Amino acid sequence: MEQERVEKAHHIVVLADQGQGHINPMLQFSKRLASKGIKITVATTLSNAKAMKAALSDSMISLESIYDDCSEGGVVGPGGFRGFLDRFQTRGSTNLTKFILDQEQTEHPVKCLVYDANIPWASKITTQSGIAGAAFFTQSCASAATYYPMYCEVFEKTPLFMPSFPFMTGLPKLRFPNLPSLGSSTGRYPPIIMHMLGQFDNFEKADWVLFNSFDKLEEEVVNWMKKLWNAVTIGPTLPSFYLDKRVENDSEYGFNIHQPNSSNCMEWLDNKKTGSVVYVSFGSAANLSADQITEVADSLRQSNIMFLWVVKPYEQSKLSSDFIKETSEKGLIVTWCSQLAVLAHHAVGCFVSHCGWNSTLEAISFGVPIVAMPQILDQTINAHFLEKVWGVGLIAKANDGVTASEEIHRCIREVLEGERGQEIRKCITSLKELAKEAIDTSGSSDKHIDEFISQLDPAYFRHRSN
Ligand code: UDP
């Protein structure tokens, strides 16, 4: 009965952004809400909707395409990334508003729009449609705290509270103009930076600011956030099968930008000793330079350690065929894999990672120590936290943007065989437990999700508008 009441009353639209690292956590959050009896519609571009279809076929989640990016060339269409963003905003906001208004005539009027904070125009839709809005941040709370002063500086806003945490000391200066320049721009700031800082636009108007993190991981920052926004942690958003096992049919993200080579990886890992394999992956977006690929290859060639390395299709040409031949006995190179299944495998003892936020949370949740090789943006912040704050990894230091093979090799050995490696394993095992506890019944994130749902009750809105 209770379930039926909730289903009738609550309909949430989740607006997902482009990119593997954005879609994974938002899809997972959608699945989690749906498992608690909420009707969910995921609104996204046509290409994403097509790719998500199979993943969501068993769930109660509906898909709504709000922009046909396929016929307009997507991010490589006219005007590049900026052109895509403009078209997505213009067409997407019109179609999404219409969809939300159309639902008013149905049994399931929309109560709330959960939108990727990278899509700040969504906030206007919530105001115009008279529904609640939740900005979903797919990076860490510490990243938001680091970017916030930069946002205030670039957009000439008066900061409400400035972060000042002891563990931030020593963090490499990330404030503009020290950030890497990405994408072409005729303006003063590269479009990617403006896009990223745009996350904070209208943050103060959001009814909730949701973070894919958990309280015990970032306690001090979370407490600071709460002074600024209605900040709430709801993570980690890994498939439930790997954490609390309470959501049915939830063992994969189910969305892959490249075709995974899963069975090959699992067969290969199955006959390796526990903790003997180094897994190397730089996520979905980084495009490593030929020099950096050569250094990683040399570090793996030098050692007698087994490795599984994800070299994306567009990076393959930078890998020498000699290396592939010489290392075929001890290494497997794939263009994409099911990273969750790989990190969960007993054979994997170390993760050489670019430290994207999802990869960081996955390594923590599976208790796999990290050798950090951050490439851009928040990856540097995550790497700093992994080594200096949580003690669960080592940073392989770069010189002029390239990390030398000796340094990578040294860190891998230290993590797998050194004394530091033992301490790291102890720390990451404790964090692993805390991650599971947070999302399990009555854990902090579980409670926050339940509170979020209960606040969608109409009585709550009546109270707020008085
Ligand atoms: N991933 C995957 N297979 C791979 C490499 C990565 O499934 O071969 C997933 C990984 O599990 C993570 C996401 O892609 O969930 C990458 O997100 P992250 O935030 O780590 O980095 P980004 O791709 O955004 O830089």
Side-chain angles (χ1 to χ4, degrees):
M1 265 318 269
E2 180 61 15
Q3 180 89 343
E4 197 182 312
R5 192 192 69 77
V6 170
E7 272 174 25
K8 286 226 157 90
H10 291 24
H11 180 184
I12 295 177
V13 174
V14 175
L15 176 60
D17 199 11
Q18 294 297 103
Q20 184 85 50
H22 287 267
I23 287 171
N24 284 358
M26 292 206 82
L27 270 188
Q28 287 310 121
F29 186 55
S30 301
K31 292 181 200 169
R32 179 73 59 181
L33 289 173
S35 78
K36 288 177 183 277
I38 307 294
K39 176 173 168 53
I40 299 288
T41 300
V42 173
T44 186
T45 58
L46 182 61
S47 60
N48 280 342
K50 282 182 178 169
M52 287 172 189
K53 208 167 175 186
L56 299 178
S57 60
D58 285 346
S59 73
M60 301 295 288
I61 298 170
S62 313
L63 278 168
E64 183 67 22
S65 162
I66 55 161
Y67 167 48
D68 178 359
D69 56 331
C70 302
S71 58
E72 293 191 297
V75 289
V76 290
F81 185 53
R82 183 70 259 168
F84 163 79
L85 291 178
D86 291 344
R87 286 188 297 278
F88 183 36
Q89 173 164 357
T90 311
R91 317 234 206 293
S93 59
T94 306
N95 293 334
L96 182 56
T97 307
K98 181 174 180 321
F99 174 79
I100 291 169
L101 294 178
D102 286 351
Q103 301 312 297
E104 278 178 13
Q105 316 308 324
T106 70
E107 262 197 307
H108 300 297
V110 177
K111 289 274 157 44
C112 176
L113 177 65
V114 177
Y115 55 93
D116 191 312
N118 264 313
I119 312 179
W121 48 261
S123 157
K124 208 166 163 195
I125 296 180
T126 62
T127 321
Q128 283 169 350
S129 318
I131 60 171
F136 189 109
F137 209 93
T138 59
Q139 297 179 346
S140 71
C141 299
S143 296
T146 312
Y147 289 143
Y148 178 67
M150 185 165 51
Y151 163 77
C152 294
E153 183 180 313
V154 171
F155 290 94
E156 294 174 358
K157 305 248 174 183
T158 313
L160 296 173
F161 291 94
M162 283 305 246
S164 63
F165 313 118
F167 51 69
M168 291 282 202
T169 323
L171 195 64
K173 264 206 157 205
L174 286 168
R175 296 175 67 181
F176 197 86
N178 297 333
L179 277 163
S181 165
L182 296 170
S184 61
S185 169
T186 47
R188 200 168 144 221
Y189 302 107
I192 189 87
I193 302 291
M194 297 307 284
H195 180 56
M196 192 195 70
L197 294 180
Q199 291 180 114
F200 296 97
D201 266 357
N202 298 326
F203 242 39
E204 64 286 352
K205 291 194 195 132
D207 296 288
W208 299 269
V209 181
L210 308 174
F211 282 90
N212 178 19
S213 187
F214 55 98
D215 282 358
K216 286 193 179 155
L217 189 67
E218 301 196 86
E219 206 147 31
E220 200 174 347
V221 197
V222 173
N223 290 337
W224 168 76
M225 295 261 154
K226 285 184 193 297
K227 294 183 196 158
L228 279 177
W229 312 299
N230 185 15
V232 175
T233 55
I234 51 82
T237 58
L238 270 74
S240 173
F241 173 78
Y242 292 110
L243 296 167
D244 59 323
K245 301 193 192 312
R246 292 184 299 151
V247 181
E248 275 178 32
N249 300 323
D250 184 26
S251 58
E252 303 180 6
Y253 291 127
F255 176 87
N256 285 294
I257 53 162
H258 305 292
Q259 189 59 30
N261 202 335
S262 304
S263 53
N264 207 8
C265 291
M266 290 303 114
E267 274 167 33
W268 186 85
L269 286 170
D270 279 348
N271 54 39
K272 304 290 177 292
K273 286 194 196 127
T274 299
S276 65
V277 173
V278 178
Y279 169 60
V280 186
S281 169
F282 295 88
S284 64
N287 186 357
L288 259 59
S289 67
D291 283 352
Q292 187 60 83
I293 290 203
T294 304
E295 294 299 331
V296 174
D298 284 349
S299 74
L300 298 171
R301 192 192 338 237
Q302 271 171 42
S303 80
N304 52 3
I305 297 165
M306 304 274 172
F307 66 86
L308 169 56
W309 184 6
V310 179
V311 182
K312 290 180 288 284
Y314 49 82
E315 293 171 327
Q316 290 270 338
S317 62
K318 300 173 201 167
L319 198 59
S320 94
S321 50
D322 285 353
F323 170 78
I324 301 173
K325 270 188 233 137
E326 279 169 37
T327 57
S328 61
E329 296 281 295
K330 63 174 180 179
L332 179 67
I333 297 166
V334 293
T335 48
W336 196 250
C337 69
S338 165
Q339 181 161 301
L340 295 166
V342 167
L343 288 175
H345 200 285
H346 70 88
V348 175
C350 171
F351 180 11
V352 176
S353 173
H354 73 310
C355 306
W357 184 235
N358 294 286
S359 295
T360 301
L361 283 177
E362 289 160 15
I364 288 172
S365 302
F366 290 114
V368 180
I370 286 199
V371 169
M373 286 181 58
Q375 303 296 306
I376 48 169
L377 303 175
D378 66 315
Q379 297 157 17
T380 315
I381 305 166
N382 302 336
H384 174 87
F385 270 69
L386 283 163
E387 183 186 281
K388 310 273 189 253
V389 182
W390 305 315
V392 299
L394 286 182
I395 297 173
K397 291 180 190 60
N399 255 328
D400 288 333
V402 176
T403 309
S405 62
E406 295 77 17
E407 172 70 355
I408 304 170
H409 185 233
R410 180 189 71 78
C411 291
I412 294 175
R413 287 230 89 90
E414 187 62 41
V415 163
L416 282 180
E417 295 159 8
E419 262 178 48
R420 188 84 188 271
Q422 289 179 21
E423 286 164 31
I424 286 175
R425 271 187 292 283
K426 252 191 234 157
C427 291
I428 205 157
T429 307
S430 314
L431 271 193
K432 175 183 167 175
E433 290 311 314
L434 294 178
K436 184 168 175 292
E437 187 185 291
I439 201 71
D440 211 341
T441 314
S442 301
S444 55
S445 295
D446 185 53
K447 275 196 205 148
H448 295 155
I449 295 170
D450 286 344
E451 279 161 20
F452 168 64
I453 292 170
S454 68
Q455 287 168 1
L456 289 174
D457 194 279
Y460 174 73
F461 289 106
R462 271 201 302 278
H463 168 76
R464 274 188 346 136
S465 57
N466 285 338

